[in-house]
Amino acid sequence: MNATKKSKAASAAGVLLVASLALAACGGNSNNGGNAASSAPASAGGASSPAASKPAGGDGGKAVTISYTIWDKNQQPAMEAIAKAFTDQNPSIKVKVDVIPWGDYWTKMSAAAPAGTLPDVFWMHGGQFIKYATGQFLEPITDKVQAGEIDLNNYAANLGSIYTLDGQNYGIPKDFDTIGLAYNKELFDQASIPYPDDTWTYEKLAEVAKKLSQPDKGIYGFGAKLDTQAGYWNDILANGGHILNDDMTKSGYDEPATIEALNARYQLILDKASPTHQQMTDTDAVEMFKSGKLAMIFDGSWDNGNLASSDVIKGKYDWAKLPSGKVKRGNIINGLGNVMSAKGKHKEESWQFLKFLGSKEAADITAQMGAAIPAFNGTQDAWVKSKPDLNLQVFIDQTADAVPYPSGSKSYPVWFAKESEIMSQAWGGAISVEEGAKKVAEMMNQAIADAK
């Protein structure tokens, strides 16, 4: 939603992810994706493709074309390079890569699913997974996993568990993302303020945001946007609050630490250190940052390519870790996956491509082209090095502090859809932040109870 999708991720984040059914992304509310270069080798990396060992094709060797649908145009070049590498090894299987923007993606998928017209292979987000799995719209791959055709231990931080429901496997991890603090170096330099570093706290962030704001010129220090994954969920965790308790049976929105964190973010708007909610509704905070009107925003690793596409800030921005809160440095980790349709007409060919998407070769192409942080173990360094002028290592380092995107319950699709409706009232000033948070908690708890 604005949404998309490891060597160090296998540490503390791995333990957290074991306890969660799904991480869910790019999700975030704007899960676009990382940057993708205009070209890349047709094949890359070490180990040979699993698909190469078992050629597949249509009836009697007749060429077959399968569809692969994604939501991020920034990643399209890399996905097309992967498709080409696959077809080079499987000449009778062509892959057509289609892009549907995040804003329309799930609307079209929701219509296609019951009609039996889902793409052969497509991107899945943890926040949508349960809906599609329980609706029996996804092809289970449990037998393939059990037969050893794909090894889910190849992916960092137990990402293979994201797309698992009731003991059935449905997807193969594609990538993962965490949240960073993007900052405009030029605005910092003009104000003679040192760049953000690992010592920053939320208090320091607020202090500097106020100093950098020039409301009369339409420039603000920070975008205190109404957002979950790339916004206040991180604030909540850092302050010692919770989105949900550990077993996902109770909302944490009514906890004092949660309300305090939400109030602190909203205070930046009141202090004119951030644009108003209406301003950020009219023009998204990310677009404000790209146009040089914001000095700092929280954003996901998936969005680096989007930021880099701006001629205004290209070469003038960088990334830092999120600030530390009263309890810790909070961060939300999410992971995208590739899945296949249960109603596809070319299931064997789709499986061969799905398996290739989960290979080291595909991960290497993803990393080398800077498209996203690949899930395959040992391939993340190439993503970091794909943009040596940027401190992309912060996204890898923060996996140690990260908490899974809280989508691992059947109540998630219900409460998440209503959360922003309530919190937008608070961010717009119609109700207090505390009232909004308590209303969200009540709504979430009811959704949890109804799902039992």
Side-chain angles (χ1 to χ4, degrees):
M1 319 206 42
N2 214 315
T4 59
K5 266 87 40 76
K6 290 227 182 149
S7 46
K8 292 188 180 181
S11 59
V15 176
L16 289 166
L17 286 165
V18 171
S20 175
L21 173 65
L23 304 177
C26 190
N29 290 344
S30 59
N31 205 346
N32 289 325
N35 179 51
S38 60
S39 63
S43 62
S48 61
S49 161
S53 62
K54 184 182 178 183
D59 297 335
K62 182 180 178 181
V64 164
T65 297
I66 61 174
S67 56
Y68 180 39
T69 304
I70 67 176
W71 60 66
D72 181 15
K73 62 181 176 59
N74 289 313
Q75 291 197 47
Q76 185 176 2
M79 298 306 103
E80 290 178 339
I82 291 171
K84 181 181 184 303
F86 172 75
T87 298
D88 286 347
Q89 298 172 28
N90 301 269
S92 60
I93 310 176
K94 311 297 183 184
V95 179
K96 184 177 185 296
V97 179
D98 296 312
V99 180
I100 300 175
W102 174 264
D104 299 321
Y105 190 89
W106 295 112
T107 299
K108 293 189 176 182
M109 291 298 175
S110 293
T117 58
L118 283 169
D120 294 301
V121 181
F122 57 103
W123 281 4
M124 178 52 62
H125 187 283
Q128 295 283 338
F129 167 65
I130 289 177
K131 169 183 174 180
Y132 286 81
T134 55
Q136 299 183 333
F137 301 128
L138 306 180
E139 180 73 10
I141 59 170
T142 313
D143 58 335
K144 310 292 188 183
V145 175
Q146 292 175 348
E149 289 194 54
I150 195 79
D151 184 357
L152 295 180
N153 292 318
N154 282 334
Y155 309 100
N158 196 36
L159 288 171
S161 68
I162 302 173
Y163 300 105
T164 301
L165 181 66
D166 298 332
Q168 291 285 337
N169 302 102
Y170 292 92
I172 298 177
K174 175 191 176 293
D175 59 45
F176 73 85
D177 51 68
T178 53
I179 310 303
L181 174 65
Y183 62 93
N184 185 314
K185 295 188 291 185
E186 186 174 56
L187 292 178
F188 273 78
D189 291 342
Q190 290 173 357
S192 299
I193 296 176
Y195 302 150
D197 59 31
D198 289 3
T199 68
W200 269 40
T201 62
Y202 273 85
E203 288 76 13
K204 181 70 173 179
L205 173 70
E207 173 192 327
V208 173
K210 293 174 188 176
K211 291 180 179 178
L212 290 171
S213 290
Q214 305 174 64
D216 57 322
K217 296 181 180 180
I219 295 174
Y220 296 88
F222 182 71
K225 57 185 177 179
L226 176 75
D227 199 357
T228 51
Q229 180 186 0
Y232 48 66
W233 277 357
N234 304 283
D235 307 355
I236 289 170
L237 297 173
N239 203 51
H242 299 84
I243 303 156
L244 287 163
N245 62 357
D246 290 343
D247 61 4
M248 297 190 177
T249 58
K250 184 180 183 300
S251 173
Y253 268 71
D254 53 356
E255 295 175 358
T258 297
I259 294 171
E260 183 179 52
L262 292 169
N263 269 319
R265 173 171 282 247
Y266 185 66
Q267 186 63 42
L268 289 168
I269 294 176
L270 299 179
D271 291 340
K272 297 185 178 180
S274 166
T276 65
H277 177 54
Q278 187 60 54
Q279 286 175 296
M280 290 183 285
T281 299
D282 294 340
T283 304
D284 184 77
V286 171
E287 294 304 313
M288 287 186 177
F289 183 80
K290 287 169 63 179
S291 65
K293 298 299 184 181
L294 283 182
M296 296 178 285
I297 56 167
F298 286 5
D299 204 1
S301 53
W302 66 80
D303 214 23
N304 185 58
N306 183 29
L307 301 189
S309 70
S310 168
D311 291 334
V312 176
I313 64 166
K314 190 172 184 178
K316 299 177 182 178
Y317 79 95
D318 206 348
W319 296 95
K321 290 181 179 179
L322 297 189
S324 297
K326 290 184 176 180
V327 175
K328 61 180 180 179
R329 195 188 307 275
N331 211 291
I332 296 289
I333 186 171
N334 173 36
L336 301 186
N338 286 299
V339 297
M340 56 186 284
S341 170
K343 300 293 184 181
K345 296 179 181 179
H346 306 292
K347 288 189 179 181
E348 176 57 27
E349 292 83 1
S350 296
W351 164 245
Q352 293 300 324
F353 180 56
L354 183 64
K355 183 166 61 171
F356 185 81
L357 286 168
S359 70
K360 181 178 184 297
E361 183 171 355
D364 282 335
I365 294 173
T366 295
Q368 290 167 10
M369 295 185 70
I373 309 173
F376 201 98
N377 285 323
T379 63
Q380 292 79 43
D381 284 350
W383 179 79
V384 172
K385 294 174 182 176
S386 69
K387 294 292 180 184
D389 56 320
L390 294 172
N391 185 21
L392 299 183
Q393 185 63 40
V394 298
F395 294 105
I396 309 299
D397 293 345
Q398 288 183 125
T399 58
D401 303 309
V403 168
Y405 190 105
S407 62
S409 69
K410 293 182 179 179
S411 66
Y412 167 83
V414 177
W415 66 255
F416 185 74
K418 298 178 180 178
E419 189 270 357
S420 61
E421 295 177 7
I422 297 172
M423 289 307 296
S424 63
Q425 297 177 47
W427 243 242
I431 59 176
S432 71
V433 170
E434 180 175 1
E435 184 180 357
K438 289 182 175 179
K439 282 187 174 183
V440 170
E442 182 180 2
M443 176 273 296
M444 289 175 69
N445 289 333
Q446 185 62 56
I448 292 168
D450 292 344
K452 289 181 180 179

